[in-house]
Amino acid sequence: MDDKKPISEMVDELWGVYTAIKVISLVHWSGNLQIRE
């Protein structure tokens, strides 16, 4: 039984979620800056 593939897939999914959250946060933060100006 090879557990390497499921673990690497989990890491890829977590990394994708982390990246999406960073992008959304950056866009939200940029939007707030524009509103303040």
Side-chain angles (χ1 to χ4, degrees), residues 3-35:
D3 288 335
K4 288 180 182 177
K5 187 177 180 185
I7 290 172
S8 67
E9 286 177 359
M10 273 174 49
V11 170
D12 286 345
E13 287 180 9
L14 287 173
W15 183 251
V17 171
Y18 171 75
T19 302
I21 289 170
K22 276 187 67 176
V23 170
I24 290 168
S25 297
L26 186 64
V27 169
H28 182 72
W29 186 69
S30 298
N32 283 344
L33 280 182
Q34 290 176 357
I35 290 168

